[in-house]
């Protein structure tokens, strides 16, 4: 009969797709590792290096089907959500709550500044609201890119805007802080050493992986039931945050090789979307994106100075805690410069959680209001 033959052909093709993508991801992960060995170290190499390789392949016509298997893409979005939710560590927040309170206020102000920058991109550069909001959102670049399609945004433009900001922040931060750190501080204790071997953050790998899988699956189901925007990311994020805050489980956050594969998949998937026509279009948004990025960064730096001026928090710590850069790159910089890592990680993690939760809601609301304004009040009776 033809039905079993078609089914077997479909299964065989899916298996071949997974094998091909597995080999590609392994190669891209190795390329990302090379990015960490050079001098200077490339910021977020497991995102940027696969993205660059994917762009080269797409621009030269070496690929035809640029989308990974759907289950792989959804799985990466779910793992990203779990990773973001795990940053909401109440114990770390309670240790620095006295110092972090003004920084949380600055963080909220940063979100408002980013929305103003997004409005500028829409008003003067003709960009759609979803893309502008995700592209100018401070922090959570991987989550913003991964959820772009679900929210009706252009993932290529979002990636371009996010990584331009990330590169500028990572390059400028050490130089700026070197002017304010006259003497090295003692390294803070308790910072975990990075390693690529474990798959989750806890000591019991099997238990952590089972909890991770359960949170990812339950979170996606919950996200669909609650009709959340970008349910594949927000559902697992809220579930992981709930588990972390209540103390039901710990040690399930993706780490090491699993985190590498996660970021590699996101970077490669976006990079493969860049065609010559797309790159030609991106050159038009470069001046406005660069201007908005510099303004947002300068505004965050000014707010950090205000906090430092009226509190006992050193400017370097307040700047690192509020800078609109990627949390991994900022924490690496904070650790290398012996800054207050618990303070920086707590405020950055709280902002990352807030951004991932608020941005999709803001996009939905603004699009709804914009649609109503375009339709007008309707015909009068």
């Amino acid at each position: 009969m033809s039905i079993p033959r078609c089914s077997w052909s479909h299964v065989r093709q899916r298996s071949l797709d997974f094998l091909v993508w597995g080999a590609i991801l392994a190669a891209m992960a190795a390329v990302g590792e090379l990015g960490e060995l050079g001098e200077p170290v490339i910021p977020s190499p497991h995102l940027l290096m696969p993205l660059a390789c994917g762009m080269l392949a797409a621009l030269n016509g070496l690929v035809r089907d640029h989308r990974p298997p759907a289950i792989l893409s959804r799985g990466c979005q779910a793992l990203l959500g779990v990773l973001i939710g795990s940053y909401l560590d109440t114990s770390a927040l309670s240790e620095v709550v006295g110092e972090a309170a003004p920084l949380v206020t600055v963080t909220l102000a940063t979100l408002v500044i980013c929305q103003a920058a997004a409005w500028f991109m829409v008003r003067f550069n003709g960009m759609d609201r979803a893309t502008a909001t995700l592209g100018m959102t401070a922090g959570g670049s991987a989550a913003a890119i991964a959820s772009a399609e679900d929210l009706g945004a252009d993932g290529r433009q979002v990636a371009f805007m996010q990584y331009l900001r990330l590169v500028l922040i990572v390059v400028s931060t050490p130089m700026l802080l070197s002017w304010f750190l006259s003497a090295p501080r003692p390294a803070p204790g308790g910072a975990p050493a990075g390693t690529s071997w474990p798959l989750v953050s806890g000591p019991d790998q099997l238990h952590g992986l089972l909890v991770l899988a359960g949170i990812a699956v339950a979170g996606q189901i919950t996200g669909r039931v609650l009709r959340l925007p970008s349910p594949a990311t927000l559902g697992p994020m809220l579930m992981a945050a709930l588990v972390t805050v209540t103390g039901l489980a710990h040690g399930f956050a993706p780490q090491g090789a699993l985190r590498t594969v996660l970021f590699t998949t996101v970077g490669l998937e976006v990079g493969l979307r860049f065609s010559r026509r797309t790159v030609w279009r991106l050159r038009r948004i470069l001046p406005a994106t660069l201007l908005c990025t510099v303004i947002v960064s300068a505004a965050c730096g000014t707010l950090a100075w205000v906090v430092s001026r009226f509190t006992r928090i050193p400017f370097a710590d307040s700047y690192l805690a509020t800078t609109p850069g990627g949390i991994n790159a900022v924490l690496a910089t904070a650790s290398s410069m012996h800054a207050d890592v618990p303070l920086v990680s707590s405020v950055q993690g709280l902002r990352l959680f807030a951004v991932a939760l608020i941005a999709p809601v803001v996009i939905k609301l603004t699009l709804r209001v914009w649609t109503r304004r375009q339709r007008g009040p309707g015909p009068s009776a």
Side-chain angles (χ1 to χ4, degrees):
M1 296 177 63
S2 60
I3 296 180
R5 192 182 311 131
C6 293
S7 300
W8 169 247
S9 175
H10 178 71
V11 171
R12 184 174 58 183
Q13 183 61 45
R14 291 288 298 275
S15 301
L16 180 61
D17 290 343
F18 273 103
L19 289 175
V20 170
W21 272 94
I24 293 175
L25 291 177
M28 291 298 99
V31 171
E33 290 291 333
L34 293 176
E36 295 183 339
L37 301 177
E39 289 290 342
V41 175
I42 297 175
S44 298
H46 291 294
L47 276 169
L48 293 181
M49 296 294 284
L51 187 146
C53 292
M55 284 183 61
L56 291 176
L59 289 173
N60 289 280
L62 300 179
V63 292
R64 287 179 295 179
D65 186 6
H66 60 272
R67 297 180 60 87
I71 189 173
L72 177 61
S73 180
R74 293 294 180 184
C76 286
Q77 292 184 45
L79 293 182
L80 273 174
V82 174
L83 179 62
I84 295 171
S86 68
Y87 280 120
L88 196 65
D89 190 345
T90 54
S91 61
L93 287 173
S94 62
E95 293 178 3
V96 297
V97 65
E99 296 178 336
L103 293 174
V104 171
T105 303
V106 173
T107 297
L108 296 177
T110 302
L111 299 181
V112 175
I113 294 171
C114 292
Q115 285 303 306
W119 175 87
F120 177 86
M121 296 295 292
V122 173
R123 179 67 177 81
F124 296 101
N125 210 58
M127 185 176 293
D128 65 274
R129 291 178 178 266
T131 301
T133 300
L134 286 178
M136 296 310 303
T137 294
S141 56
I145 296 167
S147 59
E149 184 176 354
D150 289 342
L151 297 172
D154 188 332
R156 295 161 295 192
Q157 294 189 29
V158 172
F160 176 76
M161 298 165 71
Q162 286 284 342
Y163 290 146
L164 177 62
R165 174 182 52 82
L166 178 62
V167 170
L168 290 177
I169 291 296
V170 171
V171 171
S172 63
T173 296
M175 294 186 295
L176 289 174
L177 294 186
S178 65
W179 300 343
F180 299 94
L181 290 178
S182 57
R185 312 178 191 176
T195 176
S196 59
W197 290 108
L199 300 178
V200 291
S201 56
D204 190 340
Q205 294 293 292
L206 179 58
H207 178 265
L209 286 172
L210 291 176
V211 174
L212 173 61
I215 293 176
V217 173
Q220 290 194 68
I221 296 174
T222 303
R224 294 191 184 97
V225 171
L226 297 179
R227 296 183 179 180
L228 297 175
S230 189
T233 302
L234 289 187
M237 185 191 74
L238 293 176
M239 188 69 66
L242 178 63
V243 171
T244 302
V245 170
T246 58
L248 294 177
H250 296 284
F252 56 82
Q255 294 290 328
L258 183 58
R259 191 167 175 170
T260 295
V261 172
L262 168 62
F263 286 161
T264 299
T265 303
V266 173
L268 182 61
E269 183 180 6
V270 173
L272 291 174
R273 297 178 183 179
F274 283 84
S275 62
R276 295 181 181 179
R277 181 179 180 181
T278 301
V279 172
W280 184 254
R281 287 179 55 196
L282 288 177
R283 70 178 179 84
R284 298 187 300 177
I285 69 172
L286 176 59
T289 302
L290 187 60
L291 175 62
C292 287
T293 300
V294 172
I295 292 176
V296 169
S297 301
C300 291
T302 303
L303 292 173
W305 179 85
V306 172
V307 170
S308 177
R309 179 69 176 80
F310 293 99
T311 66
R312 294 179 297 176
I313 304 174
F315 174 75
D317 294 339
S318 62
Y319 183 83
L320 285 169
T322 58
T323 185
I327 185 170
N328 296 321
V330 171
L331 290 180
T333 303
S335 178
S336 64
M337 305 193 75
H338 306 310
D340 190 344
V341 176
L343 174 69
V344 175
S345 63
S346 299
V347 178
Q348 286 280 348
L350 182 62
R351 187 185 67 189
L352 177 61
F353 181 84
V355 162
L357 182 62
I358 293 173
V361 178
V362 170
I363 291 173
K364 293 292 185 181
L365 290 177
T366 53
L367 287 178
R368 188 177 303 172
V369 172
W370 182 251
T371 302
R372 288 177 180 175
R373 287 182 178 178
Q374 285 184 324
R375 290 177 180 175
S380 57

